[in-house]
Amino acid sequence: MNWRAWISSGEKNGREASSPLHALTRKAALVLLWERVWPALVSILSLISLFLAVSWAGFWLHTPLWLRLFCLAAFAAGLGFLLFRLMRLSWPSRRESLARLDRDSGQTHRPATSFEDQLANDASDVVTQALWQIHLARAARHLAELKLALPSPGMVERDRYALRAVALIALVATAFIAGPEKNQRLFAAFDWRSDAEKAQAFRLDAWIDPPAYTGRPPILLTGAEQAQGI
């Protein structure tokens, strides 16, 4: 449900005190949305950090092709699942936002949610209308007491073993280990050549320094020259 629908519904009810309530409701919706999105983002960032840490540790440099493909498929499947869960998150409803305001405010008569109440009896009854107006007036007086707490995604309960911190520490540690070879070690994960193809692409270059009394320059022995029988 979008914000315009919330505002229009409040105007339809004809409640004069609904404007400040709508502002608080929008903030409550953002708080609820952040509490839903943040754990999913942490899971995605932790998985990416783990992949980078494994790469920077040089894991892909010493694994056969089949193992690299299997691990990459596992990482891709995990990332796809986490992104799917993120996209499936629902936008907080107005009722959920009002309930959050009542909970954070600690009011016993749920003043925020009271503005969504509807008359169950005949609205033409004078006594019913009088009692209803008293109910709305009391709820309006408590609007100034409504407050909203800071977002609390509950990461401690979701991640009791602090695996997100382990992934972060591993990322920082392997970044120092890899040094300037970070890109090389990372791209090795996507090197799908077989071991035989890698061996064919390997070349050894060497040189020989003749004795100083000969006055001859160093002799360079390249892999290409060795292949030609030089």
Side-chain angles (χ1 to χ4, degrees):
M1 185 181 297
N2 55 34
W3 302 115
R4 293 182 180 179
W6 289 9
I7 295 175
S8 62
S9 64
E11 291 176 349
K12 186 183 297 185
N13 291 334
R15 294 164 183 170
E16 298 179 357
S18 61
S19 295
L21 179 60
H22 280 302
L24 286 173
T25 305
R26 286 194 292 268
K27 294 179 181 179
L30 293 176
V31 168
L32 289 172
L33 182 63
W34 179 251
E35 290 179 349
R36 295 176 181 180
V37 170
W38 179 242
L41 289 178
V42 168
S43 299
I44 294 174
L45 293 175
S46 297
L47 182 62
I48 295 175
S49 298
L50 180 61
F51 177 77
L52 291 175
V54 169
S55 302
W56 291 344
F59 177 76
W60 312 116
L61 300 175
H62 309 288
T63 54
L65 177 60
W66 69 268
L67 183 56
R68 287 199 303 273
L69 293 176
F70 176 80
C71 293
L72 283 176
F75 274 113
L79 182 60
F81 173 73
L82 294 177
L83 289 174
F84 176 75
R85 287 182 55 188
L86 178 62
M87 299 302 297
R88 289 290 302 273
L89 293 178
S90 60
W91 188 267
S93 65
R94 179 178 174 85
R95 175 67 64 173
E96 291 173 333
S97 301
L98 292 173
R100 177 59 181 265
L101 283 173
D102 288 334
R103 190 190 72 184
D104 290 350
S105 301
Q107 301 293 328
T108 57
H109 299 289
R110 56 182 187 84
T113 311
S114 296
F115 279 89
E116 298 296 302
D117 293 340
Q118 300 292 334
L119 279 173
N121 299 330
D122 186 7
S124 61
D125 183 66
V126 178
V127 177
T128 300
Q129 281 292 338
L131 294 175
W132 180 245
Q133 293 302 322
I134 293 174
H135 168 73
L136 293 180
R138 184 179 63 179
R141 288 194 300 269
H142 287 285
L143 279 180
E145 302 175 4
L146 292 178
K147 59 183 179 180
L148 187 63
L150 294 175
S152 179
M155 294 304 302
V156 176
E157 292 77 12
R158 295 173 182 269
D159 185 10
R160 296 182 179 273
Y161 300 101
L163 297 179
R164 62 192 186 280
V166 173
L168 180 60
I169 294 173
L171 178 67
V172 175
T174 53
F176 282 103
I177 294 174
E181 298 181 358
K182 285 194 287 289
N183 290 338
Q184 177 184 352
R185 297 187 178 193
L186 175 61
F187 295 149
F190 306 97
D191 185 1
W192 297 338
R193 294 176 299 172
S194 64
D195 295 337
E197 292 173 336
K198 286 185 176 181
Q200 292 177 359
F202 180 77
R203 193 183 78 176
L204 177 64
D205 294 335
W207 65 92
I208 299 176
D209 290 327
Y213 64 85
T214 62
R216 300 181 61 180
I219 301 175
L220 182 61
L221 302 176
T222 64
E225 293 173 345
Q226 294 174 13
Q228 296 175 2
I230 299 175

